Amino acid sequence: MFEDPFVFFALVIAIVALIFARKAMNQVAELRQRLEAIQAAPATVAPPVPPPLTPFEQFEQSLPPASTAAAAPTPPPVLPEIESAAPVLPSEAPEQAAGGATPPPPPPPLPQPGRGFEETIGTQWVVWVGGLTLALGGFFMVRYSIEAGLLGPGVRTILGGLFALALLLAGEWTRRKESVSSIAALPIANIPAILTAAGTAVAFATVYAAYALYDFLVPATAFVLLGLVAMGTLAAALLHGPALAGLGIVGAFATPVLVSSGKPDFWALYIYLAIVTAAAFGLARVRLWRWLAVTTIAFALLWTFPCLQCGPSMVGPHAFHVLVGFILAALLVVCGFMFGPPADAGEVEPISSGSLAAYLLGATLIVLNSFHADMAMVVFGVLVAGSLLVAWRSDAATGAVGAAAALVFVVFAEWAVRANSDMLVLPGGPLQGIGPSATDGSVSVHLISAAIFAAGFGIAGFLAQGRSTGPIIPVIWSAAAVFTPLALLVALYARIALLDRSIPFAILAVLLAAANAAATEILSKREDRPGLQAAIALFATGTLAALALALTFALEKGWLTIALALMSAGTAWISTQRPIPFLRTLAAVLAGIVVLRIGYEPRIVGHAVGTTPIFNWLLWGYGIPAASFWAGSILLRRGGDDAPLRTVESAAILFTVLLAFMEIRHAVNHGDVYYASAGLTEIALQVCVALAMAIGLERLCLRTGSVIHNAGAILLTAFAGLATLFGLLLLENPMLGWIDVGGVVINLLLLGYALPAVLALLLSYAVAGQRPVVYANTIAAAALVLALAYVTFEIRRIYHGAVISDGPTSGAEQYTYSIAYLAFGVALLGIGIVVNSQRARLASAVVIGLTILKAFLIDMSTLTGVYRALSFMCLGLVLVAIGWLYQRILFRRQAPVPAAPAAPAGE
């Protein structure tokens, strides 16, 4: 029966609305009868009961009355205040003093009962559903008439207009009826407002359909009629309140969706939206409804997205939409500019700045969707210039300056990374060193636009210093003045020079650095004002950034990483001259960017890293940033220990470690830092470097007390321990696999086991007394294990050659192990006695204990003949000698002095 589900749902909603409306009318009639009955009832209040008399007052009343001449009227006792007694009005005081009867006080107001679920349904929800149903009915009537063709276009248009007029008249009649009655309208369910809103929305739809669908109206007539409807909505909202404004604006922006045709006319759509936006902004300005302005801006921006699907051929109407919306927002929404609300001096107002930024975003989307068409770029430039102009006149819109700077960078960055064949076009041909031959004029347009944007932001940002009393305003202007030219220079360099060496761009960067330096010098000589110091710091940072970019442009690709690292150190130095917290944060942010940069490409310059050990691009790409971050951390430490300092310190440690590890990997694997596996040489070098750095950080931590230095030392120690256990002793153990260890003494064993043992021993002494005893003893035990492994592997090398995993173990080799272990234990004992080190003596006891176990478990079963006898003989002699040393030297006991003989009794 109902082919269109929308019609069915509209009918159901209408029936439900009528039921609830009927019930609501009955309840309103009942409430009116109750109110009239209350007003007609006589207002009587029982006289207050006097309080009981005290015994003293009863005694006074029992006395005989005095003479009549001397008698005075006894004043009545003072009654206590009663909450229900009404205060006496000043006009009634003379009548009461003359002895007239006191009129009864008016009855107190009756308490209002709480609104229940049924009353809520009947008085509020039914109104909302009814208003929505009326509006949808009008919209669906137009839609149904289009689809079914029941009536001609002219009749349909007339019926739509009559329906809108009927709704408007009903809204005005109900408003006047309620104004003369004794029942006040509900603010959140105002029936007159909702009826008027529905009528306004239908009127919008009718006029729009007559113009865009049926061509009954020429553009001028449609513009006038839509303007009249918008002004009528504005006037009606002034009478009916925000309910009409909210529903009217939603209905107005939803009208093009509900009433549509197969061939959309974007010009008609955007002219219609412009009139609606103007009416909404005007109403928001008159009534100071901030929510209405924000809602209108959101709807207007949303209408930009679906229309962008039509491609770059429809730039004109889209540009008109954002341009008109921007102008209306500047005229009516921005505080302190033209017709906008008054503004607070020196403060950024979010809606003022956000309204301009929203339309700037719409212009940016048009530029990107149209592939940077000339008209789109022109409109975008006009809106950026307008943002600067409005913000120059009104501090409330200064936030739009920052948004404009960011969106300018987005536009040029997207153009820079797009993979097309556009190259440089100049009147005299391409500049030498900038890029290859040109193919079209896209680059010329962007070069001119970039120059205009850079000059506009830079000059305006500098001249804006000192014009505002608020501290945040000059900071925003200076930040935009510094950021925009730098960002545009980087984008052009990436697009034109393809991140390759370019002397012309280096010259431009030097000129930009000179301009920022001049601005810094000029501002430094001015009288101090709010925000001036931050602005000076930003221009100084721009100077360093431009110089870093000049280095990047003039040198190879990897110097960009170096430039950013140097910029971080420079920012840290500026923070010592200008103690502004923002600069410390900026130094940390730059350090983080460099860290992310090496995460993207650890080789810094890709395949061009070189094959020369040590002196290759890794040394510059990691060494210079490491030195820069160390210098920055020293400078930042003067301002206290905080998160930015710890970030830069972390970057310094990270780059130092990566420099060593990457150089080791590069040297061992013949320049291939992405080699699949690591051998004994690489792991041994990494363990040595980690232990050496841990020693250095332990010493540094004693002076600085830095949490980062402390954590770095622990992490490096843990890495060295894991690499020793799983790398040196398990995976790359020369006893467990075929590994050529090299010569007899100068070989991999010395690098992989002896040197790490010495470094671990030094680390254990470095942490002694500073960390828990278990921590230091664990490191010392690792040193002992590495030393024993070296002694064992070196003896194995003597008997088996370079590959120590091959061949059986002979009796002479087993005997050599025992003698070597004994000698090692005795040496440790001697060192412990000489330097009075209990740790060395305990290590000696461990080694000798292991030797004893070896003698009884291995030598006794494997050795034969003279080797077995010599093994036990030497072990016994050593143990006796050790006992003698402990008795005679370490724990020598003095013999007791004999007591002198007692003298004879007679002497």
Side-chain angles (χ1 to χ4, degrees), residues 567-634:
M567 184 177 172
S568 175
T571 306
W573 175 77
I574 296 174
S575 70
T576 61
Q577 308 300 316
R578 307 287 182 183
I580 301 172
F582 166 74
L583 294 178
R584 299 174 64 87
T585 304
L586 178 60
V589 169
L590 292 172
I593 293 174
V594 178
V595 172
L596 294 177
R597 166 68 178 85
I598 64 167
Y600 172 74
E601 175 53 86
R603 297 174 299 181
I604 307 296
V605 291
H607 296 286
V609 66
T611 58
T612 305
I614 308 300
F615 297 99
N616 49 59
W617 246 105
L618 297 175
L619 179 62
W620 321 123
Y622 285 94
I624 296 179
S628 174
F629 293 145
W630 280 113
S633 65
I634 294 173

Side-chain angles (χ1 to χ4, degrees), residues 39 84 173 249 348 358 495 552 752 818 889:
Q39 291 179 349
S84 60
W173 179 81
I249 198 65
V348 178
R495 178 65 183 84
T552 303
S818 300
I889 298 177

Side-chain angles (χ1 to χ4, degrees), residues 139 142-143 146-147 205 208-209 212-214 254-265 269 303:
F139 297 148
V142 177
R143 179 176 178 179
I146 295 173
E147 296 175 351
Y208 177 71
L213 302 181
Y214 308 131
T255 297
V257 178
L258 299 175
V259 183
S260 59
S261 62
K263 297 180 180 180
D265 187 346
L269 170 65
W303 263 112

Side-chain angles (χ1 to χ4, degrees), residues 499-890:
L499 300 180
D500 204 354
R501 184 170 175 267
S502 175
I503 299 301
F505 275 104
I507 295 174
L508 290 177
V510 171
L511 294 177
L512 185 58
N516 284 325
T520 303
E521 184 66 20
I522 294 173
L523 294 178
S524 299
K525 297 179 180 179
R526 292 185 179 180
E527 183 181 357
D528 193 15
R529 292 175 60 91
L532 180 62
Q533 297 301 320
I536 294 173
L538 286 171
F539 279 107
T541 304
T543 303
L544 294 175
L547 291 176
L549 289 177
L551 277 176
T552 303
F553 300 156
L555 302 173
E556 299 297 333
K557 296 179 181 178
W559 288 101
L560 178 59
T561 304
I562 298 174
L564 292 174
L566 293 175
M567 184 177 172
S568 175
T571 306
W573 175 77
I574 296 174
S575 70
T576 61
Q577 308 300 316
R578 307 287 182 183
I580 301 172
F582 166 74
L583 294 178
R584 299 174 64 87
T585 304
L586 178 60
V589 169
L590 292 172
I593 293 174
V594 178
V595 172
L596 294 177
R597 166 68 178 85
I598 64 167
Y600 172 74
E601 175 53 86
R603 297 174 299 181
I604 307 296
V605 291
H607 296 286
V609 66
T611 58
T612 305
I614 308 300
F615 297 99
N616 49 59
W617 246 105
L618 297 175
L619 179 62
W620 321 123
Y622 285 94
I624 296 179
S628 174
F629 293 145
W630 280 113
S633 65
I634 294 173
L635 294 171
L636 291 177
R637 181 162 292 280
R638 300 176 184 176
D641 189 355
D642 54 3
L645 169 64
R646 295 176 182 179
T647 302
V648 176
E649 285 181 341
S650 301
I653 295 174
L654 177 64
F655 268 79
T656 305
V657 173
L658 290 178
L659 170 63
F661 285 6
M662 294 292 286
E663 286 285 10
I664 290 171
R665 190 160 182 79
H666 178 274
V668 172
N669 298 309
H670 308 289
D672 185 9
V673 297
Y674 289 159
Y675 192 71
S677 62
L680 177 61
T681 303
E682 182 177 350
I683 295 176
L685 289 172
Q686 290 178 348
V687 169
C688 293
V689 168
L691 290 172
M693 289 184 179
I695 294 172
L697 287 177
E698 291 287 354
R699 295 298 183 185
L700 183 61
C701 184
L702 294 178
R703 291 194 305 159
T704 62
S706 171
V707 177
I708 300 301
H709 296 161
N710 178 69
I714 295 175
L715 291 176
L716 285 173
T717 303
F719 170 81
L722 294 175
T724 299
L725 176 61
F726 294 101
L728 299 180
L729 299 179
L730 293 178
L731 298 178
E732 297 298 329
N733 190 328
M735 289 285 290
L736 303 178
W738 195 95
I739 298 176
D740 189 349
V741 298
V744 178
V745 178
I746 307 300
N747 51 32
L748 287 181
L749 301 176
L750 181 67
L751 177 66
Y753 299 93
L755 185 56
V758 174
L759 291 172
L761 182 63
L762 294 176
L763 179 59
S764 68
Y765 279 100
V767 301
Q770 306 298 327
R771 297 191 182 276
V773 177
V774 176
Y775 187 87
N777 289 341
T778 303
I779 298 174
L784 180 61
V785 171
L786 287 170
L788 285 174
Y790 172 72
V791 172
T792 303
F793 295 159
E794 193 63 46
I795 293 173
R796 186 82 177 174
R797 170 64 183 83
I798 295 173
Y799 281 94
H800 294 270
V803 181
I804 65 176
S805 60
D806 291 344
T809 303
S810 62
E813 183 180 349
Q814 287 287 3
Y815 176 72
T816 305
Y817 289 142
S818 300
I819 295 300
Y821 293 163
L822 280 175
F824 184 53
V826 172
L828 289 175
L829 179 60
I831 295 174
I833 293 174
V834 172
V835 301
N836 192 23
S837 172
Q838 184 183 17
R839 182 180 297 169
R841 296 195 298 268
L842 292 176
S844 171
V846 172
V847 173
I848 293 175
L850 292 175
T851 306
I852 295 172
L853 290 176
K854 178 182 180 298
F856 284 94
L857 297 178
I858 299 177
D859 295 354
M860 185 177 292
S861 61
T862 58
L863 294 180
T864 59
V866 67
Y867 289 118
R868 179 189 296 178
L870 289 176
S871 176
F872 278 86
M873 289 172 61
C874 292
L875 178 59
L877 290 175
V878 169
L879 293 177
V880 172
I882 291 173
W884 182 84
L885 288 174
Y886 271 86
Q887 290 179 10
R888 297 295 180 178
I889 298 177
L890 291 177

